[in-house]
Amino acid sequence: MSRNFILKGNIVHTPESNCLVVRENAHVVCEDGVCRGVFDKIPECYGALPVVDCGDKMILPGMVDLHIHAAQYAYRGTGMDYELMDWLENIAFPEEMRYADAAYALKAYTQFAERLKASATTRAVIFGTVHADATLTLMNCMEKSGLVSYVGKVNMDRYAPPGLTEDHADGVGADTRRFIEKCLGRGYRRTKPIITPRFVPCCTDALMAALGDIRREYGLPVQSHLSENPDEVQAVARLAPQAEFYGDAYDRFGLFGRESNTVMAHCVYSTPSEIKRIKRNGVWVAHCPSSNMNIASGIAPVRRYMDEGLRIGLGSDVAGGTVESVFRAVTDAIQVSKLYWRYIDSGAKPLTFPEALYLATKGGGSFFGRVGSFEEGYAFDALVLDDSAEPTPRPLPVRSRLERAFYLGLDRGGIEMKYVDGERLF
Ligand code: GUN
Ligand code: FE
């Protein structure tokens, strides 16, 4: 399939935070899977490319989900009457135990990958479970979906039920090493492994040290959780007394940015020293507002992080978060920022729609490289959005149509075409 073409329609993107660019009836050029820019008139040098006329529909960059748990997708929208630590013990861990069963894993991960493919998400950073075989199954499903993803075999060796606790019988980290060798050997195009210590309470120093070594050896990125919930933060202070702050417990083992891309979910309770280290090490923050509401974690001070110049994207964090929709994460992020401003910090202005859209595209997209914008040289990840099923008694400007599509959840059913690296997925 040729990855050289032009899409014509109402093109929207956020090359800068808080700057929504709307180009009506314009053309976005894709050459070898790479965006060549947005033009009112097709430049002569692209005159021979086929034009896909999307009429009055909107064309926007694909959404990036910086944090989602594939193995929790099965119970999304249930089990919400707990806080984090009890929720893990009573809901998350019992479900994750099921992934020792290959047939269950295949069924559940097939459903997950199909739904993610149909969603607005074009790239995702994903947690599996501790099970290497099941996580390889997840990677097969993701590769088949055509989305670009990092997928992690979860590591934990304490504070989890026996079925989920690594025993290190053949050496600490040996299972993760095997997992990485296997997935690198499969020659996936769009699916890559990522080092995944679940979070500090579930990982001994020995395990963290082994993961730090593996990360260095293979040059892999890292994902984990950070400063999500008060009880969790207290547990970390108890379990890692030598760490200066929560994030330092990762940094001591080379698992906190600096040498490789690292994304930490939540950062609701990060202290000034932790924020400083996040910035210095170039760690990405995955802001997960739905999860932070559902399991009563709190509200991350995203405006403060943006003012500090941190790297930030959005995460659905299913199944702490309810749905895989990054459209929903955009509106949730705006809404919680309003509560934060109203109740907690009148100096932290609420996020605007363009700012939240930026986080969902170019903000999180930077974890993958030049992703999340229609600027020249960016990966051609695009959605064609049809909002015509939603009635309006008068024509709306494109800006309003786009905002409305996010608030009304028109990603469910409204995504008519989806491209990743210039390849059409549907
Ligand atoms: N912290 C450790 N594990 C998890 C998880 O599965 N979900 C969330 N939201 N936080 C975690
Ligand atoms: Fe999570």
Side-chain angles (χ1 to χ4, degrees):
M1 192 166 38
S2 165
R3 297 191 303 155
N4 297 286
F5 58 89
I6 293 168
L7 295 186
K8 179 168 186 272
N10 296 311
I11 296 160
V12 288
H13 66 145
T14 47
E16 319 245 5
S17 183
N18 215 9
C19 172
L20 178 65
V21 172
V22 177
R23 302 278 294 270
E24 292 183 40
N25 237 326
H27 306 84
V28 59
V29 175
C30 176
E31 193 179 46
D32 295 328
V34 176
C35 184
R36 291 294 168 219
V38 181
F39 307 94
D40 292 325
K41 263 190 69 192
I42 301 172
E44 219 169 284
C45 57
Y46 302 123
L49 295 183
V51 178
V52 181
D53 192 345
C54 302
D56 195 35
K57 289 163 199 154
M58 291 175 280
I59 301 167
L60 63 158
M63 300 292 122
V64 177
D65 190 341
L66 277 189
H67 185 72
I68 182 165
H69 297 257
Q72 297 174 4
Y73 192 73
Y75 71 83
R76 67 200 180 284
T78 70
M80 297 302 190
D81 297 333
Y82 289 96
E83 255 190 79
L84 174 66
M85 299 309 249
D86 290 337
W87 174 82
L88 286 172
E89 187 181 330
N90 292 287
I91 308 286
F93 290 163
E95 174 66 20
E96 290 185 24
M97 300 266 270
R98 297 180 190 275
Y99 290 76
D101 173 350
Y104 186 80
L106 178 60
K107 189 169 174 187
Y109 285 150
T110 301
Q111 290 175 357
F112 169 79
E114 281 173 359
R115 290 303 284 270
L116 215 60
K117 178 176 177 177
S119 79
T121 299
T122 43
R123 301 192 186 226
V125 187
I126 305 176
F127 271 60
T129 62
V130 288
H131 312 96
D133 288 345
T135 307
L136 285 161
T137 299
L138 170 59
M139 294 184 92
N140 287 344
C141 294
M142 287 312 301
E143 181 72 7
K144 206 167 127 197
S145 77
L147 305 190
V148 174
S149 63
Y150 287 110
V151 177
K153 183 204 106 63
V154 174
N155 289 99
M156 40 186 174
D157 67 347
R158 67 179 176 191
Y159 296 105
L164 292 181
T165 311
E166 291 165 271
D167 62 11
H168 307 315
D170 49 358
V172 186
D175 203 27
T176 296
R177 223 173 257 283
R178 267 195 306 273
F179 161 76
I180 291 164
E181 289 289 343
K182 269 196 195 157
C183 51
L184 294 179
R186 289 186 176 183
Y188 293 128
R189 278 188 321 146
R190 293 190 170 159
T191 317
K192 303 260 176 334
I194 181 167
I195 300 291
T196 307
R198 182 176 205 118
F199 68 158
V200 171
C202 279
C203 301
T204 61
D205 283 2
L207 179 56
M208 292 286 235
L211 294 178
D213 290 344
I214 296 170
R215 183 205 61 73
R216 253 185 306 277
E217 202 176 310
Y218 291 92
L220 297 179
V222 178
Q223 63 175 346
S224 195
H225 297 93
L226 182 65
S227 299
E228 176 178 5
N229 166 285
D231 291 343
E232 169 217 19
V233 172
Q234 265 188 16
V236 172
R238 213 171 44 246
L239 290 163
Q242 69 291 2
E244 284 174 52
F245 44 83
Y246 191 158
D248 186 49
Y250 296 110
D251 204 12
R252 299 166 82 80
F253 298 102
L255 296 166
F256 203 66
R258 282 188 295 176
E259 291 160 37
S260 69
N261 286 3
T262 295
V263 57
M264 290 283 155
H266 307 301
C267 304
V268 176
Y269 297 99
S270 293
T271 60
S273 322
E274 184 163 275
I275 294 167
K276 220 165 124 190
R277 189 78 61 85
I278 289 171
K279 182 171 181 178
R280 193 177 84 197
N281 289 11
V283 168
W284 276 260
V285 173
H287 176 40
C288 307
S290 172
S291 168
N292 295 161
M293 287 189 275
N294 284 330
I295 49 177
S297 298
I299 306 175
V302 174
R303 167 64 64 197
R304 295 296 183 199
Y305 294 166
M306 287 166 64
D307 290 347
E308 271 289 322
L310 304 191
R311 295 165 156 174
I312 314 168
L314 298 182
S316 66
D317 194 24
V318 166
T322 318
V323 285
E324 71 277 13
S325 166
V326 178
F327 274 34
R328 178 71 178 269
V330 165
T331 57
D332 284 344
I334 296 167
Q335 289 171 335
V336 300
S337 77
K338 289 177 178 169
L339 295 179
Y340 191 86
W341 167 74
R342 177 66 74 193
Y343 285 121
I344 299 167
D345 179 357
S346 61
K349 269 191 319 186
L351 299 193
T352 62
F353 174 66
E355 284 174 325
L357 180 60
Y358 176 89
L359 296 182
T361 52
K362 198 173 168 182
S366 61
F367 192 77
F368 292 85
R370 285 160 73 78
V371 168
S373 171
F374 289 133
E375 289 157 88
E376 149 87 45
Y378 276 65
F380 195 93
D381 292 0
L383 309 172
V384 176
L385 181 62
D386 181 359
D387 64 338
S388 62
E390 201 58 45
T392 168
R394 58 186 165 80
L396 296 172
V398 173
R399 162 75 167 75
S400 305
R401 285 172 53 196
L402 182 70
E403 184 177 6
R404 184 184 83 143
F406 276 72
Y407 277 94
L408 300 186
L410 302 191
D411 49 342
R412 196 114 192 220
I415 312 277
E416 191 178 281
M417 296 181 215
K418 183 166 173 176
Y419 293 85
V420 172
D421 279 330
E423 190 177 302
R424 187 168 166 186
L425 303 191
F426 58 81

